[in-house]
């Protein structure tokens, strides 16, 4: 087993351009952090203790049952002096040893863990159990130093074990996933528990246990805690979607079925990914690293759209699940630093920083054009966390300035006489009477570390790993003899694969040889945020005689049209599969008149899409007919709205394929002698499809195939669409042009690479393959055609329309292809119902649902995506996909 890697220790320092912050200024800011902590902590002790949390506006403690219920938020409160326990290791880090010793004595004398109260398993684990273990780690460190805590006899550890035993009944399920809540006195069974009836839990709730439970097992020598945490992680891993390698947000704890199939890196999933990587760092088990790397590759493929991180559906990962981001994903750049992937960390952090500067704090949720979606800000520390890790990795003083911004905004907008108050609305600056325990546990740790020098720290921070609540667990736990805990069970299919490991960490000096490189990454993102989310300006009522934008005139590549959309509260999102999504937030329009124009535009776009839905052409077929395929490989292709109509041709167009030069086909073809009389292969992008068709037609080609330039795209995971014209007459184009996604296009390119002469048939459907039907069924997967339907959803708070687009081509509404079950309502009826139900504030009509995953294509044996799976596994995955799409009809898009 390789040694435990703590990646921050191996990352080289990189100093960005600009004025480095002076030592005196860093010291001043470090002292300011300590003063702010003192203000928050002392007010908690003076006005709230022994209550769980401080209410800073009314200067009193929040006691559960005595204050109006806030719903699930109150599940973190267990009448166990939550804030004090959560703050223990922060006191030591900030060199407050005397206060720490007093706090430990208070915890031991005052805190009871046997209260008849129902608490969140997740919150109690990360805050209370983590706080006790972090406090124990600090107490042991100080005791071994010989000057402090000499009286300490592992009392905090004994309390931690007591609490761990009280949490264990929650894991008594058939799956091993814990119930979301437990009664500290009675467990989960029986009427007196008032819990145990729940069926669902979030992925993070079940997957954020391993660090605390494994540490408890290693500290105490009792393996039961680590065993239960590993079992829960194993079950989540088994239930991942096998094609996308993503997990959903909510899962049934009994059946393992995904209840919410949206997947991202924010709320509901965030710390599951964090704990896979950190479990490897803390425990040294390669299995955790392998799983993390597999998940991470899928995150970067589907969810990461730098600088954005957008939720997707696990079964259709190219289909966005929502058009906004929540603030909890701000931890992810810090996790990418631990992974060693600095570039996307810089980009996403910069986006978050610019949103912070626009609104003073990160809104609880914000849209893809960086406007407020949910206006609250409960003083979350995730952005400060990523700022610290990026500074640690790069040494760029830019991140010190980001930290200064955090400090200044906290003091200017959140500081109140009795502590720091959460923001109820970042737009108005109004406060909420809450100061969560994580503010003291996390925020001040990361800010202090950001500005502190090595000599300011009472211990070597590199000897510890941070939990998701920033509690400190010693890396020495990985050296505990294996006999004291249960070794993980590895299934035969999960043998360690070296391809899933990055055994060495990149040196940032080699990654960024130019010191200006991080700055160069940041500047385009800063400009994008500035353009998308400017400071509000006074609106001048239209009176210039200019009519509002009409849907039939809209061009996605027109800056003037995009500005008109922005004024109407309509934003445009570029999707990975090449489409454009239009989203309207009426509250973000510059005026009520503009909002009405926006609603009218969206209604017109829906009607236009409905009309084009009726005119949609069915998918076409590209059949490889030459040796050794002989028609057995059929690739599903998208049609064009111009050129030869293959449905009216009884024979189709048959010919050998040749790669056009230039590959984009956007200028005159330079290898016309090879293209003449053949079917030209082209790459998507850089110009309009009609222009590509004209250029290859001029070169003498008899047809064309455009291959997607979006690596990894496939008709299995993205809906097909029609290629539009260029806004002028296309009657001069007489050859057929078809579109292949990247995966299907690669099959054709690999065949050409291996056999040099490849002949294909372009047609409306596959022709006779020249082989016996039974042989065909044995040799390859059969084709399936999925019926189309038009099924908008009505669950969201936004109005959305999705349309196809190309890099610079005209936009056309996309065809929606839904489940084979169909709906009774007609497309027009469904759209009318949605428009009728909508209001000027926010409505939704989503006009682009994906094609069913039951489409299966002929693919050569060299395509190994599914070759390693048995027939039973393929059928099981297919059934899972089918059930998922039936559920997706009800899910929020």
């Amino acid at each position: 087993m390789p040694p435990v890697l703590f990646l921050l220790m191996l990352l080289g320092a990189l100093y960005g351009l600009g004025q480095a912050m002076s030592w005196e200024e860093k010291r001043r800011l470090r002292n300011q952090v300590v003063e702010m902590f003192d203000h928050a902590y002392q007010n908690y002790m003076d006005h709230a203790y022994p209550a769980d949390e401080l209410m800073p506006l009314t200067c009193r403690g929040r006691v559960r049952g005595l204050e109006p219920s806030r719903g699930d938020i109150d599940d973190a409160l267990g009448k166990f002096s939550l804030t004090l326990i959560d703050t223990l290791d922060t006191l030591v880090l900030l060199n407050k040893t005397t206060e720490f010793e007093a706090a430990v004595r208070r915890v031991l004398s005052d805190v009871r863990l046997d209260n008849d109260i129902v608490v969140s398993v997740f919150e109690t684990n990360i805050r209370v159990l983590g706080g006790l273990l972090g406090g124990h780690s600090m107490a042991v460190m100080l005791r071994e130093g010989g000057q402090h805590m000499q009286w300490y006899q592992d009392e905090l550890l004994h309390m931690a074990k007591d609490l761990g035993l009280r949490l264990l009944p929650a894991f008594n399920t058939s799956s091993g996933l814990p119930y979301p809540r437990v009664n500290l006195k009675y467990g989960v069974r029986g009427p007196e528990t008032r819990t145990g009836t729940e069926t669902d839990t979030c992925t993070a709730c079940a997957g954020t246990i391993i660090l605390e439970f494994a540490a408890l097992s290693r500290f105490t020598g009792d393996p039961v805690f680590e065993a239960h945490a590993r079992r829960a992680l194993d079950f989540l891993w088994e239930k991942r979607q096998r094609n996308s390698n993503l997990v959903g947000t909510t899962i049934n704890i009994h059946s393992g079925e995904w209840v919410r199939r949206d997947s991202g890196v924010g709320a509901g999933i965030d710390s599951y990914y964090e704990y896979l990587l950190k479990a490897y760092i803390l425990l040294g088990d390669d299995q955790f690293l392998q799983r993390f790397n597999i998940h991470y590759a899928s995150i970067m493929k589907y969810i990461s759209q730098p600088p954005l991180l957008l939720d997707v559906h696990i079964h259709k990962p190219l289909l966005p699940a929502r058009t906004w981001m929540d603030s909890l994903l701000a931890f992810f750049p810090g996790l990418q630093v631990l992974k060693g992937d600095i570039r996307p960390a810089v980009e996403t952090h910069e986006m978050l920083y610019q949103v912070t500067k626009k609104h003073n704090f990160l809104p609880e949720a914000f849209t893809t054009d960086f406007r407020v979606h949910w206006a609250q800000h409960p003083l979350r520390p995730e952005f400060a966390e990523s700022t610290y890790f990026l500074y640690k990795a790069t040494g760029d003083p830019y991140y010190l300035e980001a930290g200064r911004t955090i400090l200044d905004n906290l003091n200017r907008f959140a500081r109140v006489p009795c502590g720091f108050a959460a923001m109820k609305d970042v737009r108005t600056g109004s406060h909420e009477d809450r100061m969560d325990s994580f503010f003291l546990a996390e925020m001040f740790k990361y800010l202090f570390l950001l500005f502190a020098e090595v000599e300011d720290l009472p211990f070597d921070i590199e000897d510890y790993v941070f939990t998701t609540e920033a509690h400190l667990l010693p890396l020495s736990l990985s050296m505990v003899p294996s006999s004291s805990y249960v070794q993980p069970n590895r299934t035969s299919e999960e043998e360690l694969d070296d391809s899933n490991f990055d055994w060495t960490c990149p040196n940032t000096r080699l990654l960024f040889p130019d010191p200006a490189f991080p700055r160069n990454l940041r500047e385009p993102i800063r400009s994008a945020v500035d353009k998308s989310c400017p400071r509000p300006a006074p609106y001048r009522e239209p009176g210039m005689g200019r009519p509002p934008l009409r849907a039939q005139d809209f061009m996605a590549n027109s800056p003037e049209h995009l500005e008109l959309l922005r004024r109407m509260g309509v934003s445009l999102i570029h999707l990975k599969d090449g489409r454009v999504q239009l989203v309207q937030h009426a509250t973000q329009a510059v005026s009520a008149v503009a909002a009405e124009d926006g609603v009218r535009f969206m209604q017109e776009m829906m009607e236009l899409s409905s009309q084009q839905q009726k005119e949609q052409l069915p998918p076409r077929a590209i059949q490889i007919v030459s040796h050794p395929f002989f028609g057995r490989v059929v690739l599903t292709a998208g049609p064009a709205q111009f050129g030869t109509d293959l449905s009216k041709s009884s024979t189709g167009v048959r010919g050998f394929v040749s790669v056009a030069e230039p590959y984009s086909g956007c200028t005159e073809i330079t290898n016309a002698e090879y293209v003449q009389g053949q079917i030209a292969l082209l790459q998507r992008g850089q110009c309009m499809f009609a222009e590509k068709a004209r250029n290859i037609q001029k070169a003498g080609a008899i047809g064309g195939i455009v291959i997607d330039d979006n690596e990894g795209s496939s008709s299995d995971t993205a809906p097909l669409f029609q290629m539009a014209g260029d806004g002028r007459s296309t009657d001069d184009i007489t050859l057929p042009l078809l579109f292949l996604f990247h995966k299907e296009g690669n099959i054709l390119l690999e065949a050409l690479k291996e056999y040099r002469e490849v002949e294909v048939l372009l047609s409306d459907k596959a022709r006779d393959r020249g082989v016996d039907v039974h042989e065909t069924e044995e040799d390859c997967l059969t084709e399936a055609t999925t019926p189309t339907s038009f099924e908008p959803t009505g669950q969201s708070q936004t109005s959305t329309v999705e349309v196809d687009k190309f890099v610079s081509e005209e936009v056309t509404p996309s065809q929606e292809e839904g489940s084979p079950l169909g709906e009774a309502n007609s497309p027009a009826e469904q759209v009318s119902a949605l428009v009728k139900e909508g209001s000027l504030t926010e409505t939704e009509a989503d006009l682009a649902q994906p094609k069913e995953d039951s489409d299966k294509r002929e693919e050569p044996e060299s395509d190994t995506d599914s070759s390693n799976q048995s027939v039973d596994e393929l059928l099981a995955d297919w059934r899972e996909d089918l059930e998922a799409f039936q559920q997706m009809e009800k899910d929020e898009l």
Side-chain angles (χ1 to χ4, degrees):
M1 178 186 300
V4 174
L5 302 178
F6 192 29
L7 301 188
L8 288 182
M9 298 174 63
L10 301 180
L11 289 171
L14 170 70
Y15 295 93
L17 294 181
Q19 183 79 29
M21 184 176 289
S22 68
W23 180 87
E24 292 79 9
E25 182 64 7
K26 284 185 67 177
R27 185 175 186 83
R28 186 188 71 79
L29 292 173
R30 184 206 68 188
N31 292 338
Q32 186 177 5
V33 172
V34 175
E35 185 277 328
M36 293 167 65
F37 170 82
D38 288 341
H39 178 67
Y41 178 71
Q42 200 57 51
N43 272 289
Y44 165 75
M45 296 304 296
D46 291 344
H47 300 293
Y49 182 82
D52 284 315
E53 289 181 342
L54 169 68
M55 300 173 67
L57 299 183
T58 53
C59 298
R60 57 196 173 99
R62 183 180 298 279
V63 179
R64 193 168 171 185
L66 299 183
E67 301 295 334
S69 173
R70 301 176 298 169
D72 291 348
I73 297 177
D74 284 340
D75 287 343
L77 311 180
K79 298 182 179 179
F80 35 37
S81 301
L82 173 63
T83 297
L84 183 62
I85 292 177
D86 221 0
T87 308
L88 288 176
D89 50 5
T90 307
L91 289 167
V92 179
L93 182 66
L94 271 59
N95 294 291
K96 296 184 176 295
T97 308
T98 303
E99 291 88 339
F100 171 73
E101 191 159 351
V104 172
R105 291 186 184 276
R106 283 181 180 269
V107 169
L108 299 181
S109 63
D110 298 346
V111 173
R112 294 178 58 90
L113 299 174
D114 60 350
N115 301 312
D116 180 9
I117 192 168
V118 176
V119 296
S120 162
V121 173
F122 168 74
E123 297 289 357
T124 305
N125 173 68
I126 65 171
R127 299 202 206 186
V128 186
L129 182 58
L132 291 171
L133 292 172
H136 170 69
S137 300
M138 296 294 98
V140 171
M141 181 270 297
L142 291 172
R143 183 180 65 191
E144 292 176 349
Q147 295 185 357
H148 303 281
M149 301 296 292
Q150 296 303 300
W151 57 269
Y152 181 69
Q153 298 296 321
D154 298 343
E155 289 89 349
L156 291 178
L157 180 60
H158 301 323
M159 289 185 68
K161 184 173 182 179
D162 178 30
L163 181 60
L165 291 172
R166 296 179 185 280
L167 296 178
L168 277 185
F171 292 81
N172 188 21
T173 62
S174 57
S175 66
L177 299 180
Y179 284 99
R181 298 173 184 84
V182 67
N183 186 300
L184 288 177
K185 187 172 184 177
Y186 297 111
V188 295
R189 297 299 178 92
E192 71 277 7
T193 67
R194 304 184 303 283
T195 187
T197 59
E198 304 94 339
T199 58
D200 306 334
T201 192
C202 72
T203 301
C205 299
T208 313
I209 305 289
I210 186 65
L211 292 189
E212 292 82 3
F213 269 41
L216 184 56
S217 283
R218 307 291 177 102
F219 275 133
T220 63
D222 187 345
V224 65
F225 306 105
E226 184 170 348
H228 278 85
R230 284 180 179 270
R231 185 183 176 210
L233 275 181
D234 289 344
F235 190 82
L236 289 174
W237 172 252
E238 285 300 314
K239 291 300 177 180
R240 76 193 186 281
Q241 212 290 323
R242 298 303 179 94
N243 292 322
S244 66
N245 279 315
L246 296 173
V247 292
T249 302
T250 307
I251 191 171
N252 185 294
I253 60 177
H254 304 297
S255 67
E257 295 295 320
W258 290 111
V259 179
R260 282 185 54 194
R261 294 174 170 86
D262 49 312
S263 183
V265 296
I269 303 180
D270 48 2
S271 48
Y272 163 69
Y273 293 132
E274 177 186 4
Y275 269 37
L276 282 178
L277 180 57
K278 289 184 176 179
Y280 168 70
I281 294 172
L282 180 66
L283 307 176
D285 187 340
D286 300 339
Q287 187 183 60
F288 293 125
L289 180 60
Q290 180 180 32
R291 291 178 180 180
F292 173 80
N293 282 339
I294 290 172
H295 281 317
Y296 185 77
S298 293
I299 291 170
M300 298 309 292
K301 182 177 182 180
Y302 299 120
I303 295 171
S304 175
Q305 301 185 33
L308 308 181
L309 292 164
L310 291 177
D311 284 19
V312 300
H313 288 282
I314 58 175
H315 293 83
K316 285 288 184 181
L318 293 178
L319 180 67
R322 63 190 190 191
T323 58
W324 47 270
M325 295 166 279
D326 65 76
S327 62
L328 285 171
L329 61 76
F331 90 101
F332 197 68
L335 190 65
Q336 289 179 306
V337 170
L338 285 178
K339 160 74 176 170
D341 198 2
I342 308 297
R343 178 181 182 131
V346 170
E347 293 173 331
T348 299
H349 180 276
E350 181 61 21
M351 178 269 293
L352 296 169
Y353 186 27
Q354 295 306 316
V355 173
T356 297
K357 291 202 288 188
K358 291 292 181 185
H359 304 295
N360 300 320
F361 299 97
L362 270 183
E364 194 73 334
F366 51 94
T367 63
T368 51
D369 60 350
F370 315 115
R371 300 174 188 272
V372 174
H373 184 68
W374 294 338
Q376 305 95 325
H377 174 75
L379 307 182
R380 294 200 184 277
E382 286 77 15
F383 179 64
E385 174 185 357
S386 288
T387 302
Y388 161 66
F389 280 117
L390 271 167
Y391 178 67
K392 187 79 171 176
T394 66
D396 191 338
Y398 181 83
Y399 297 109
L400 296 177
E401 295 301 328
R404 187 206 302 267
T405 300
I406 298 170
L407 283 183
D408 289 347
N409 288 343
L410 285 172
N411 276 321
R412 289 176 59 199
F413 304 110
R415 187 165 183 147
V416 293
C418 286
F420 291 85
M423 307 303 296
K424 186 174 184 179
D425 192 320
V426 297
R427 296 165 297 190
T428 63
S430 58
H431 289 121
E432 189 174 355
D433 199 5
R434 62 184 286 196
M435 188 181 82
D436 292 84
S437 67
F438 54 68
F439 182 61
L440 286 164
E442 300 183 66
M443 180 70 81
F444 294 111
K445 274 198 188 83
Y446 292 124
L447 291 176
F448 181 80
L449 287 168
L450 178 64
F451 297 114
E453 303 293 344
V454 174
E455 57 269 20
D456 297 327
L457 304 180
F459 54 87
D460 188 350
I461 197 67
E462 308 291 2
D463 291 338
Y464 295 83
V465 66
F466 289 107
T467 69
T468 195
E469 190 77 3
H471 292 306
L472 295 161
L473 299 177
L475 292 175
S476 58
L477 289 175
S478 64
M479 308 304 294
V480 172
S482 59
S483 60
S484 65
Y485 70 96
V486 175
Q487 288 284 357
N489 294 321
R490 260 191 198 95
T491 60
S492 58
E493 66 178 31
E494 198 184 354
E495 294 301 325
L496 294 181
D497 179 0
D498 279 352
S499 65
N500 292 319
F501 288 86
D502 293 329
W503 290 116
T504 58
C505 306
N507 186 314
T508 51
R509 293 186 185 277
L510 302 178
L511 281 175
F512 306 145
D514 178 4
F517 190 69
R519 187 186 64 177
N520 294 337
L521 291 178
R522 292 191 292 258
E523 285 180 349
I525 297 166
R526 184 181 307 126
S527 301
V529 176
D530 285 339
K531 292 176 182 177
S532 298
C533 184
R535 295 285 185 186
Y539 175 62
R540 294 179 300 158
E541 287 293 334
M544 313 298 177
R546 182 165 66 175
L549 179 64
R550 306 301 300 271
Q552 61 265 32
D553 301 325
F554 172 62
M555 296 285 289
N557 58 349
S558 167
E560 181 182 5
H561 288 184
L562 296 178
E563 173 60 19
L564 289 173
L565 289 188
R566 185 193 69 77
R567 299 178 71 82
M568 294 188 296
V570 179
S571 57
L572 182 144
I573 305 168
H574 299 267
L575 307 181
K576 278 196 169 182
D577 59 11
R579 294 176 298 158
V580 161
Q581 184 178 57
L582 298 176
V583 185
Q584 200 224 7
H585 299 273
T587 56
Q588 296 175 3
V590 295
S591 72
V593 174
E596 292 178 8
D597 290 341
V599 171
R600 189 178 302 111
F601 174 83
M602 297 296 286
Q603 292 173 349
E604 290 178 356
M605 186 61 75
M606 287 186 284
E607 292 167 3
L608 181 64
S609 180
S610 177
Q611 179 63 31
Q612 294 196 349
Q613 166 74 18
K614 300 173 184 177
E615 302 170 356
Q616 278 283 20
L617 300 173
R620 304 306 189 204
I622 299 176
Q623 195 168 4
I624 307 180
V625 296
S626 55
H627 172 84
F629 306 100
F630 300 119
R632 284 193 291 259
V633 175
V634 180
L635 308 173
T636 301
Q641 295 175 348
F642 52 83
T644 302
D645 185 352
L646 293 171
S647 65
K648 298 178 180 178
S649 172
S650 60
T651 59
V653 175
R654 181 168 178 159
F656 289 92
V657 297
S658 178
V659 178
E661 294 180 7
Y663 191 23
S664 68
C666 292
T667 58
E668 184 175 351
I669 305 301
T670 57
N671 62 336
E673 66 275 15
Y674 296 104
V675 170
Q676 186 174 9
Q678 300 204 0
I679 296 172
L681 300 183
L682 307 156
Q683 186 178 48
R684 178 183 184 177
Q686 299 183 31
C687 65
M688 300 181 185
F689 286 111
E691 186 176 348
K692 299 176 189 287
R694 290 189 179 97
N695 285 331
I696 61 172
Q697 181 173 284
K698 182 179 178 181
I702 60 173
I705 299 172
V706 178
I707 298 174
D708 195 8
D709 60 345
N710 182 14
E711 186 174 353
S713 67
S714 167
S715 58
D716 291 327
T717 55
L720 285 171
F721 53 80
Q722 301 183 80
M723 294 180 285
D726 56 1
R728 56 192 179 97
S729 174
T730 53
D731 293 342
D732 59 316
I733 302 175
T734 58
L735 53 70
L737 190 71
L738 299 183
F739 176 84
L740 286 178
F741 281 107
H742 187 269
K743 177 182 175 182
E744 288 77 14
N746 258 1
I747 294 173
L748 191 56
L749 292 172
E750 288 297 322
L752 183 62
K753 180 179 178 181
E754 184 168 355
Y755 299 104
R756 303 183 70 84
E757 290 191 348
V758 174
E759 189 177 16
V760 301
L761 173 66
L762 312 184
S763 59
D764 61 331
K765 60 182 178 180
R767 307 297 180 180
D768 179 39
R769 305 180 186 189
V771 293
D772 184 79
V773 174
H774 298 293
E775 181 185 343
T776 301
E777 292 177 346
E778 292 172 358
D779 287 355
C780 58
L781 296 173
T782 59
E783 244 185 320
T785 302
T786 305
T788 62
S789 65
F790 187 93
E791 301 175 8
T793 62
Q795 302 286 329
S796 179
Q797 296 179 341
T798 61
S799 174
T800 67
V801 175
E802 291 184 5
V803 293
D804 295 338
K805 80 148 187 94
F806 322 115
V807 174
S808 58
E809 289 89 345
E810 182 178 4
V811 174
T812 63
S814 74
Q815 176 181 6
E816 170 166 324
E817 303 184 53
S819 85
L821 299 178
E823 289 285 340
N825 292 349
S826 69
E829 289 170 343
Q830 290 170 329
V831 172
S832 298
L834 284 168
V835 173
K836 185 176 180 180
E837 293 170 2
S839 68
L840 278 182
T841 54
E842 301 191 293
T843 60
E844 176 182 13
D846 192 337
L847 305 185
Q849 276 205 340
K851 189 160 58 69
E852 277 295 335
D853 218 12
S854 55
D855 273 23
K856 296 182 180 178
R857 281 164 196 78
E858 310 271 346
E859 294 181 2
E861 294 177 358
S862 61
D863 187 359
T864 59
D865 283 359
S866 58
S867 61
N868 292 330
Q869 291 180 288
S870 68
V871 175
D872 289 342
E873 289 172 329
L874 286 171
L875 288 174
D877 283 347
W878 183 85
R879 291 191 196 98
E880 182 184 1
D881 288 350
L882 182 59
E883 293 170 0
F885 285 113
Q886 292 170 1
Q887 177 66 31
M888 274 176 61
E889 296 171 11
K890 305 175 184 178
D891 286 351
E892 172 181 316
L893 289 179

